Amino acid sequence: MIGVSLSRWTMAYFAAAIVALLLSEALMVAGYGFPALPVQAPQTLVLVHLVAIGWLSLLLCGALFQFVPVLVARSLYSNTLPFPALLFLLAGLGALLIGFLQLAGTIDFAPSLLPYGAILLAIGFALVLYNLGRTLWQARPLPLQARFVAVALVCLAATVAFGAIFSFAFGTTLHSDALLAIAGQGLPLHVSAGLGGWLTFAAIGVSYRLLAMFMLAPELNGRRPQAVFRLGSAALAVAILGGLASLLCKAPVFPALLIGGALGAVALALYLADAVHLYRARKRRIIELNSRMAALALVSLAASVVLTIVLLALGRLTQQVGALVFLVAFGWLGGLGLAKLYKIVAFLTWLECYGPVLGKMATPRVQDLVVEARARRWFVVYYLAVWSATVCLLASQDLAFRLAAAAMTVATLAVAVQLVRTRLLSNVAAASRLPGSVGRPHLLICMPGPNR
Amino acid sequence: MTETFAELDVRPILRQGDEPFEKILEAVAALAPDQGLRLYATFKPVPLFHVLGSKGFSYEANELDGGDWEVLFRRSGTPAVAEPVAAAAASDAAGWPKPAQQMDNRDLDPPEPMVRILAALETMEAGQVLSALLCREPIFLLPELAKRGHAWHGAFEPDGTTYKILICTGGHRDAAA
């Protein structure tokens, strides 16, 4: 056991992710894309991919470069590869968004940039997958939490593959019947693999460890988390592989999605039961802001499951799928991401700056890097705004939705300011901020060194 | 490449609350060149994977019914790249003096256990041993111990939830860091 060192580029991923989140929120405030335009409109695709790739995927990649090594107690395969991967991902996202703007007619030049965006994104994600894959491969047999991440990475590859097929279908001329069938009917599979397989499954795996770690709760490895993993993996296999098989046989994909969705709902219910158990079994009575706010993300996940079932029962799922995806993306994934960022940025910055001098001189505590009272109200505003916005979408109140989105934007901006203050040690009393040879941390790069 | 396995069951030793590390290293030293080791333990002996990895063994761990573990160590030919840290981690605690200080950090909020251990080490003489109980593997502490020239030996206790680490203070501490 040689321990885990700091991931060099994680902060840069986090920064890019938050910029993408703020941009996408600003677009919603401006009434760009859904709900003013249909879900399939190119403008909505700009918004959706800015959130899914720019905010959530970059956030998750940055977090995994730090936490996959923690899950498997091994060093990251490469601390250098994440940087070129980030450049490819940002360039690919930019090209993809321009490609959608070309489809929308906002930008008027040929040829389409969609295939170039897909290629750049595929290279970027391939670098991420190679790096994390090598790290996991060296650590076999994998502990349960890391197995969630392994399945999530497979789903990421599937999501990128579907996306690339769509990009080539929209941006070039495809001649393969099979690829055209996927491009025509594969959208639900792309969304299931991305939101369900990649983002949600990885978040579940990492949250099992982070919730236990930050609340001093016993690690869960028993039957229920095993069942969550097996049922969840089965759900994804049925929905994605079963859906793909149906599609290639020219059968409807809905049955595969329904069976996969039912298995997935059971897996999520068991996961939520585990999460409640972690909160109840914690040794730490007073929990930090990140754990309290993560609970609201879990509430959003539970609400998403219930909403799916209700909409399905009412026969309104197709019409209201936008509201559902919004709640999953901003309430569950985005809420959990922001809550955990609040702790992770503080902890990694503290370790980078003060780790080398711990015990040799007086140093601030991790909690001295944050002012929870200041951040708490903005987190609450964020969640209330997300839930209100979901209700507005369900009730087709577009103007009210934009107002709620404005509240989300302000709250996100305020939390982002707190994260930057934490990173730059601005919340630490000036007298104790930089003892001895401790240097000021760089905003975007972790550089633990002997003189820091 | 290894076909035959010597068998070692350390479960009785662990159940008595004793430390089987020395016994395992003896068994490894006694292996024939083409022989592997089949080890039975009451928990997944993760620290051992790294220690034997540095001696050129790969491993395959299987959970048995009842929560015990069977681990097959095979000679993989080349010793894993001996990182300087791994050498320290692989320290055999058998020859170390009795701990001069003991601490129970199991109920402390992270990263307080790490803070207290590093603070205590600064007050100790070179060669003295600190024993600490933790509620998880201290993955962020270990690189710091290595940087400061301390050696350590850590493993989960038979209960599977308490991690016990012994740290032998190094002589060349970097006072200026």
Side-chain angles (χ1 to χ4, degrees):
Chain A
M1 176 65 227
I2 51 173
V4 170
S5 46
L6 291 167
S7 158
R8 192 173 306 141
W9 295 103
T10 285
M11 291 296 167
Y13 276 74
F14 289 168
I18 286 188
V19 170
L21 171 60
L22 285 167
L23 281 177
S24 55
E25 287 172 338
L27 288 179
M28 291 191 287
V29 177
Y32 190 82
F34 183 79
L37 292 172
V39 175
Q40 306 84 346
Q43 289 86 343
T44 306
L45 294 179
V46 170
L47 192 54
V48 166
H49 288 85
L50 196 52
V51 174
I53 300 174
W55 161 228
L56 296 171
S57 293
L58 290 183
L59 170 74
L60 192 54
C61 288
L64 290 179
F65 289 135
Q66 183 65 67
F67 286 101
V68 163
V70 171
L71 294 181
V72 299
R74 297 242 167 176
S75 304
L76 185 65
Y77 172 71
S78 163
N79 221 346
T80 313
L81 275 183
F83 181 58
L86 179 61
L87 295 183
F88 275 109
L89 291 173
L90 289 175
L93 178 61
L96 190 75
L97 298 184
I98 292 173
F100 290 135
L101 292 174
Q102 289 173 306
L103 281 185
T106 316
I107 296 179
D108 186 20
F109 70 78
S112 168
L113 286 195
L114 284 177
Y116 300 98
I119 291 169
L120 291 168
L121 283 170
I123 296 173
F125 281 122
L127 291 174
V128 172
L129 287 168
Y130 177 72
N131 200 1
L132 293 174
R134 286 292 296 255
T135 309
L136 289 168
W137 188 259
Q138 289 164 355
R140 288 164 305 140
L142 293 178
L144 180 62
Q145 297 141 344
R147 272 185 262 161
F148 279 96
V149 176
V151 170
L153 293 179
V154 173
C155 290
L156 170 61
T159 312
V160 175
F162 281 120
I165 293 171
F166 300 155
S167 296
F168 278 89
F170 282 130
T172 60
T173 321
L174 282 181
H175 297 291
S176 150
D177 282 349
L179 292 182
L180 282 173
I182 294 172
Q185 312 270 322
L187 184 63
L189 308 185
H190 179 59
V191 177
S192 306
L195 272 186
W198 157 232
L199 296 167
T200 292
F201 224 51
I204 288 177
V206 174
S207 69
Y208 267 121
R209 172 62 70 91
L210 290 188
L211 288 173
M213 201 155 85
F214 294 147
M215 295 195 296
L216 281 189
E219 298 276 348
L220 292 180
N221 288 306
R223 285 211 181 134
R224 199 159 58 192
Q226 298 268 7
V228 173
F229 175 73
R230 288 189 188 137
L231 279 170
S233 305
L236 292 166
V238 169
I240 300 166
L241 297 178
L244 187 61
S246 323
L247 201 153
L248 294 176
C249 300
K250 301 196 186 332
V253 295
F254 184 70
L257 290 177
L258 190 66
I259 299 170
L263 288 170
V266 178
L268 289 175
L270 293 175
Y271 163 68
L272 287 165
D274 271 339
V276 169
H277 175 75
L278 283 174
Y279 277 87
R280 287 213 174 127
R282 69 177 197 266
K283 284 196 219 162
R284 188 175 200 167
R285 290 328 301 165
I286 299 169
I287 51 176
E288 292 171 355
L289 185 64
N290 78 85
S291 300
R292 275 178 281 154
M293 293 303 123
L296 298 184
L298 293 163
V299 168
S300 303
L301 175 63
S304 309
V305 175
V306 172
L307 183 62
T308 311
I309 295 169
V310 170
L311 290 175
L312 205 55
L314 296 174
R316 303 267 308 152
L317 187 60
T318 316
Q319 294 90 327
Q320 299 284 21
V321 74
L324 180 63
V325 169
F326 178 88
L327 183 59
V328 171
F330 290 100
W332 154 236
L333 295 166
L336 185 73
L338 275 182
K340 289 300 158 192
L341 265 185
Y342 192 71
K343 176 69 184 185
I344 294 169
V345 169
F347 176 69
L348 296 182
T349 301
W350 175 84
L351 193 60
E352 178 188 357
C353 293
Y354 305 116
V357 296
L358 284 177
K360 298 175 198 251
M361 54 187 78
T363 53
R365 299 167 308 130
V366 181
Q367 283 303 87
D368 293 334
L369 273 65
V370 296
V371 185
E372 289 201 346
R374 220 179 280 159
R376 185 191 307 123
R377 69 184 95 134
W378 294 115
F379 270 106
V380 172
V381 170
Y382 174 83
Y383 278 107
L384 289 177
V386 168
W387 294 335
S388 313
T390 308
V391 173
C392 295
L393 288 177
L394 289 169
S396 305
Q397 297 296 320
D398 290 8
L399 186 63
F401 170 79
R402 287 169 62 182
L403 287 174
M408 278 170 67
T409 313
V410 173
T412 306
L413 196 58
V415 171
V417 167
Q418 291 303 313
L419 292 173
V420 171
R421 286 182 60 83
T422 297
R423 178 66 191 157
L424 297 180
L425 306 175
S426 308
N427 291 327
V428 183
S432 56
R433 191 179 296 155
L434 300 171
S437 57
V438 174
R440 191 179 285 277
H442 190 281
L443 183 63
L444 301 179
I445 310 169
C446 261
M447 290 184 295
N451 296 319
R452 291 291 292 277
Chain B
M1 91 176 84
T2 311
E3 290 306 330
T4 60
F5 289 92
E7 210 164 277
L8 178 64
D9 188 349
V10 296
R11 287 175 293 186
I13 304 176
L14 289 168
R15 289 204 181 100
Q16 282 169 16
D18 290 333
E19 171 60 64
F21 191 67
E22 214 177 331
K23 197 104 188 155
I24 296 169
L25 288 185
E26 277 174 26
V28 169
L31 292 175
D34 60 343
Q35 225 180 3
L37 177 70
R38 185 192 307 272
L39 180 76
Y40 292 98
T42 53
F43 60 97
K44 189 176 173 185
V46 177
L48 200 59
F49 300 163
H50 300 279
V51 174
L52 293 189
S54 67
K55 291 180 186 290
F57 285 84
S58 63
Y59 66 87
E60 182 192 328
N62 304 305
E63 191 169 14
L64 305 173
D65 291 342
D68 290 351
W69 286 79
E70 176 203 60
V71 188
L72 299 173
F73 289 100
R74 294 186 174 88
R75 287 188 199 274
S76 55
T78 49
V81 182
E83 297 172 54
V85 192
S91 300
D92 182 355
W96 290 1
K98 277 199 180 320
Q101 263 203 63
Q102 308 209 356
M103 41 178 44
D104 183 350
N105 289 347
R106 282 176 295 182
D107 287 341
L108 296 178
D109 299 341
E112 199 56 26
M114 170 179 182
V115 174
R116 294 203 186 178
I117 287 172
L118 290 174
L121 290 172
E122 289 301 317
T123 66
M124 293 168 64
E125 304 281 328
Q128 283 188 321
V129 173
L130 170 72
S131 161
L133 301 181
L134 304 162
C135 65
R136 53 177 42 85
E137 227 169 350
I139 39 182
F140 289 108
L141 170 68
L142 302 184
E144 204 49 54
L145 293 179
K147 260 191 254 167
R148 299 180 186 203
H150 303 309
W152 71 89
H153 171 62
F156 275 101
E157 296 282 76
D159 66 4
T161 58
T162 299
Y163 187 92
K164 183 176 175 183
I165 187 165
L166 294 172
I167 304 164
C168 186
T169 46
H172 54 286
R173 266 178 277 157
D174 173 11

